[in-house]
Amino acid sequence: MYRINREKLKTCILIILILTSLVQVGILWDYQEHGFPTNFLLAIFKTSELSQSEIDRMAREEFFRPYRLILSNGDLAHWIIDSSDAIYEKVWNGSKEYIKSAILSKPQVATESWDELVTRKGIFLDFKLNMDVNLMKWLLGMGSSSGSGEGLAGIHKVFIIPRDRITSSLDIVYILSEETVYKYIVDVNSKDLNREAFEKYLVELSEDTKYDAKKYWVIREFDPKGRLSFSYSPDIPCVVEMPLGRDYNTLSYSIPNKMENKDENELAHLILANEQYSYDRTIGMDDTVIFKNQNSIYKIYDDGLLEYTYISSTGRSDRGDIGKAFSNAYGFISRLGKSLVLKNNIYLSNINIKGGGSSFEFTFNYMVDNVPVFIEYKGRSGEENKITDAIVVEADSRRVLSCRWLMRDMQKNGKKVKYNVGFNSIDKKVLDRTTPGVGDISVAYVLTLTAERELDPSWVIESTTGSRNILPLLRTEGE
């Protein structure tokens, strides 16, 4: 009996030693990544982590939307459909099916010009950027290897014409890729965006008075013979007919309280989570809070600017798959956003190849109540480090390499005020000096370095190369 108990004791001790060894290996492994040693144990018991497929799904749902979605009746009426409109999801979900079919189809260079197409009857999508085809495939859930995307340098704008079953037995999709218009003959069976549904939406838009303030021409219809003294993109929405007055809120904004209070312990918990104890903490110039370890450095400035840099020399690789890189960028800003700022709508506004081709740079900007927020922020260092975008994230398929985020809490403030948004109210001298041409005209909020914490809407006139002119938007008489 004594011998049996002794053997059991030895067995128990041996098991404990083995488990202890495994834990020690895990701790050392985790510590190589400079996480707090208990991370290894937390990873064993933590069951609430999102799967990669769930993160990918959330990235697609939150950031895959057109900058503008417009329905046109082909008779001087174009309605911009807001994401809050009842028909938005149906039109957008149907549009994705058309884009997917186009990517899977063989293109032909269109005989129609973009100037001509934008005045026709159909659905117009503007993505604001020339969307990388492989990212578009990933966002559509196709996988970067599916389809050809033959000839496409990117997908900037899309025009969809559902079949009418009288003059056409197939659907048509036009894609503007840089300066070339491609035409795709497709066969899409979408109950949300077939011809009957499309015609029904047009009737609703024309008969419901709540859409009167969302009705536009495009600038080509205002200037059908091309006599304006400046060049322009033909699809720019402009208000020509009554009502010229449109309602907009004042926008109030602030630096997030959690950043402005500068509580180091709270910031460490919010930004670093269970890795907070592996970072050294210092206070730099101008009360900048700095968290740093051998892999990464975070800087939190007193104006609400957050900067992150991956500083390790190990583990760098080629940029890899753009979908994975985008998912990494989404995961990073989603985590920080949930901790630090109020819920703001953010849209993808640009993509670049960085680091000599080794990474992607994704640019995001704010939008409040379907009105864009432009950044013209010089900060304390002046023009040299001017900020023109809310979030810029550099990432590859393995990790986020850097992030710069001008964090702001934003919300509509007070009652709506009516402003004159008629196209003729814009100073034509500004349009004439916008070179090499006018790429877009928006009513938007413009965030600058100012003591004021409220913003009225402004005209923002963008050139085709991205430079901006900003003009005051005037209230209508009696406001």
Side-chain angles (χ1 to χ4, degrees), residues 330-445:
Y330 165 79
F332 186 87
I333 63 177
S334 177
R335 176 179 64 83
L336 290 179
K338 288 176 182 176
S339 299
L340 295 172
V341 297
L342 296 175
K343 178 67 174 177
N344 289 321
N345 288 327
I346 297 171
Y347 68 93
L348 178 66
S349 56
N350 204 7
I351 303 172
N352 287 306
I353 305 296
K354 298 291 287 186
S358 63
S359 59
F360 299 96
E361 182 183 80
F362 302 100
T363 301
F364 302 87
N365 277 290
Y366 297 123
M367 186 174 286
V368 178
D369 198 24
N370 296 286
V371 179
V373 178
F374 288 93
I375 311 289
E376 292 286 330
Y377 189 83
K378 294 181 181 179
R380 293 183 176 178
S381 55
E383 192 74 29
E384 181 181 347
N385 293 309
K386 182 178 179 180
I387 296 174
T388 56
D389 297 289
I391 309 171
V392 180
V393 183
E394 184 183 355
D396 60 22
S397 60
R398 297 183 65 183
R399 60 175 57 85
V400 169
L401 302 172
S402 69
C403 176
R404 191 199 65 226
W405 188 343
L406 187 64
M407 291 194 166
R408 292 292 185 269
D409 288 335
M410 302 185 191
Q411 57 187 357
K412 295 181 292 182
N413 185 34
K415 69 176 184 179
K416 290 190 173 183
V417 175
K418 199 174 293 294
Y419 292 86
N420 181 2
V421 296
F423 181 69
N424 280 326
S425 70
I426 302 174
D427 187 344
K428 297 303 182 291
K429 293 179 182 178
V430 176
L431 297 172
D432 287 339
R433 67 171 181 256
T434 302
T435 56
V438 177
D440 200 10
I441 301 173
S442 306
V443 173
Y445 300 105

Side-chain angles (χ1 to χ4, degrees), residues 91-160:
V91 176
W92 174 225
N93 288 335
S95 297
K96 286 186 282 188
E97 294 302 315
Y98 284 90
I99 297 171
K100 187 182 295 185
S101 293
I103 291 175
L104 291 169
S105 303
K106 186 175 180 61
Q108 54 184 289
V109 176
T111 56
E112 303 92 333
S113 68
W114 194 250
D115 295 48
E116 175 189 353
L117 290 172
V118 297
T119 65
R120 288 188 180 181
K121 189 176 190 176
I123 301 100
F124 171 66
L125 308 172
D126 183 354
F127 289 100
K128 190 65 174 176
L129 71 157
N130 203 42
M131 179 82 74
D132 182 281
V133 177
N134 286 326
L135 179 58
M136 179 68 78
K137 292 177 184 177
W138 185 86
L139 290 168
L140 288 167
M142 300 171 65
S144 59
S145 60
S146 61
S148 63
E150 181 182 335
L152 288 174
I155 299 176
H156 185 189
K157 300 175 182 180
V158 178
F159 191 75
I160 299 167

Side-chain angles (χ1 to χ4, degrees), residues 9-281:
L9 179 62
K10 289 168 64 177
T11 301
C12 290
I13 292 173
L14 183 60
I15 292 172
I16 291 170
L17 289 173
I18 292 172
L19 291 175
T20 303
S21 299
L22 289 172
V23 170
Q24 286 178 325
V25 169
I27 289 174
L28 288 172
W29 191 354
D30 192 69
Y31 204 69
Q32 287 283 351
E33 295 298 319
H34 306 284
F36 193 55
T38 55
N39 289 355
F40 172 70
L41 296 177
L42 289 172
I44 295 175
F45 298 106
K46 193 171 183 181
T47 59
S48 60
E49 284 290 341
L50 294 174
S51 66
Q52 187 60 51
S53 62
E54 185 70 7
I55 292 172
D56 292 349
R57 180 191 64 78
M58 293 169 65
R60 293 179 177 108
E61 287 182 358
E62 291 190 33
F63 288 141
F64 185 32
R65 303 228 168 205
Y67 180 71
R68 287 195 186 109
L69 190 158
I70 297 175
L71 268 62
S72 170
N73 70 358
D75 188 23
L76 302 178
H78 307 255
W79 291 271
I80 295 180
I81 310 302
D82 294 340
S83 58
S84 58
D85 287 325
I87 66 173
Y88 182 92
E89 290 299 333
K90 292 182 179 180
V91 176
W92 174 225
N93 288 335
S95 297
K96 286 186 282 188
E97 294 302 315
Y98 284 90
I99 297 171
K100 187 182 295 185
S101 293
I103 291 175
L104 291 169
S105 303
K106 186 175 180 61
Q108 54 184 289
V109 176
T111 56
E112 303 92 333
S113 68
W114 194 250
D115 295 48
E116 175 189 353
L117 290 172
V118 297
T119 65
R120 288 188 180 181
K121 189 176 190 176
I123 301 100
F124 171 66
L125 308 172
D126 183 354
F127 289 100
K128 190 65 174 176
L129 71 157
N130 203 42
M131 179 82 74
D132 182 281
V133 177
N134 286 326
L135 179 58
M136 179 68 78
K137 292 177 184 177
W138 185 86
L139 290 168
L140 288 167
M142 300 171 65
S144 59
S145 60
S146 61
S148 63
E150 181 182 335
L152 288 174
I155 299 176
H156 185 189
K157 300 175 182 180
V158 178
F159 191 75
I160 299 167
I161 303 177
R163 75 188 81 176
D164 61 14
R165 302 186 186 278
I166 298 174
T167 62
S168 175
S169 59
L170 292 171
D171 309 288
I172 302 175
V173 177
Y174 295 91
I175 292 178
L176 180 64
S177 178
E178 294 184 338
E179 300 299 321
T180 305
V181 182
Y182 293 95
K183 182 178 182 179
Y184 300 83
I185 308 299
V186 297
D187 186 6
V188 177
N189 184 22
S190 170
K191 64 178 182 180
D192 290 329
L193 202 57
N194 56 33
R195 190 67 180 201
E196 292 74 19
F198 173 55
E199 295 288 354
K200 178 183 174 183
Y201 300 147
L202 291 179
V203 171
E204 181 180 347
L205 293 169
S206 61
E207 292 183 352
D208 194 331
T209 56
K210 73 177 182 180
Y211 292 108
D212 289 348
K214 299 177 182 179
K215 187 177 178 182
Y216 299 80
W217 288 16
V218 292
I219 195 170
R220 172 52 70 191
E221 293 166 333
F222 179 83
D223 181 39
K225 296 185 178 180
R227 292 176 177 172
L228 287 175
S229 56
F230 56 92
S231 62
Y232 53 82
S233 297
D235 49 51
I236 298 172
C238 55
V239 178
V240 177
E241 296 181 321
M242 300 296 287
L244 299 180
R246 303 288 166 93
D247 293 331
Y248 293 92
N249 289 93
T250 298
L251 182 67
S252 62
Y253 71 93
S254 62
I255 297 171
N257 287 333
K258 295 170 184 177
M259 299 184 73
E260 203 164 32
N261 292 339
K262 288 292 180 66
D263 184 318
E264 289 178 52
N265 292 326
E266 183 181 19
L267 283 174
H269 173 69
L270 293 171
I271 294 172
L272 307 172
N274 58 11
E275 292 188 343
Q276 59 186 296
Y277 300 106
S278 73
Y279 281 77
D280 294 326
R281 309 179 192 184

